[in-house]
């Protein structure tokens, strides 16, 4: 019988003590939230649930090299307050009120880039997003806008955890 493996040095220095960033879609899934919260609890990390305002995509059209903090500190957008407040209420239903273990952020810009900037600014340990949804409408959306999970795996040096979508 072999002795158990010694993982004491495995990944040493590769995993930061930063928070976990959950890319929270408009139609939030309980499984996605609970998986992210469970991982945050196991690792002792703060969970940042981030919603990217879909009406703010034009933020990304700034000239190359010009980057202000708009996606990290967005201007108040009355149109985005409804989906953001609905999403926050849903998250509170799963996680309780925001506080020490988790927080909620509304970002502007293209989804993968905005999540990446948040992860960079908070020195996040990892990003967590939902997997691709099935169906024609979801496929058309990916064709037009691209896949957030695929974009993140191409843009990020930090780990990206993709939670598969199970529902129809």
């Amino acid at each position: 019988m072999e002795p158990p493996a010694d993982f004491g040095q495995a990944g040493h220095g590769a995993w930061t003590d930063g928070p976990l960033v959950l890319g929270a879609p408009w139609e939030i899934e309980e499984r996605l939230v609970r998986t992210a919260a469970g991982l945050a609890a196991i690792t002792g990390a703060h969970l940042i649930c981030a919603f990217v305002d879909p009406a703010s995509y034009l933020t990304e059209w700034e000239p190359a090299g010009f980057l202000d903090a708009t996606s990290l500190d967005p201007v108040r957008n009355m149109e985005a307050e409804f989906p953001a407040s609905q999403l926050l209420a849903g998250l509170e239903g799963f996680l309780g009120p925001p506080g020490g273990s988790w927080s909620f952020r509304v970002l502007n810009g293209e989804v993968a880039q905005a999540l990446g900037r948040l992860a960079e600014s908070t020195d996040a340990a990892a990003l967590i997003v939902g997997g691709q949804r099935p169906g024609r409408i979801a496929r058309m959306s990916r064709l037009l806008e691209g896949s957030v999970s695929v974009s993140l795996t191409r843009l990020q040096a930090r780990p990206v955890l993709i939670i598969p979508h199970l529902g129809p």
Side-chain angles (χ1 to χ4, degrees):
M1 188 171 204
E2 287 187 41
D6 177 15
F7 293 115
Q9 293 297 315
H12 184 67
W15 189 268
T16 72
D17 290 334
L20 298 178
V21 173
L22 169 64
W26 190 333
E27 294 177 5
I28 195 74
E29 288 183 48
E30 181 176 2
R31 180 172 180 263
L32 175 63
V33 175
R34 295 216 185 271
T35 300
L39 183 58
I42 289 168
T43 60
H46 180 80
L47 178 64
I48 300 172
C49 300
F51 171 69
V52 182
D53 173 8
S56 67
Y57 188 80
L58 294 178
T59 304
E60 299 303 330
W61 289 12
E62 295 292 342
F66 178 80
L67 179 63
D68 59 14
T70 348
S71 73
L72 296 175
D73 188 21
V75 175
R76 188 171 173 169
N77 180 349
M78 297 302 279
E79 291 176 2
E81 285 184 14
F82 175 75
S85 63
Q86 291 296 104
L87 178 59
L88 177 57
L91 290 168
E92 287 176 332
F94 300 134
L95 304 172
S101 62
W102 78 280
S103 57
F104 181 68
R105 300 282 297 269
V106 178
L107 308 174
N108 285 334
E110 191 274 328
V111 178
Q113 290 181 15
L115 290 173
R117 281 195 298 272
L118 177 62
E120 183 70 28
S121 73
T122 60
D123 193 27
L127 285 142
I128 303 169
V129 292
Q132 297 180 353
R133 294 179 178 269
R136 290 181 183 174
I137 294 173
R139 208 169 321 138
M140 184 62 104
S141 176
R142 283 192 302 275
L143 187 71
L144 294 172
E145 299 171 9
S147 166
V148 172
S149 57
V150 170
S151 294
L152 282 172
T153 59
R154 289 184 182 152
L155 293 171
Q156 287 298 306
R158 68 193 76 245
V160 177
L161 178 62
I162 303 168
I163 308 300
H165 176 74
L166 296 181

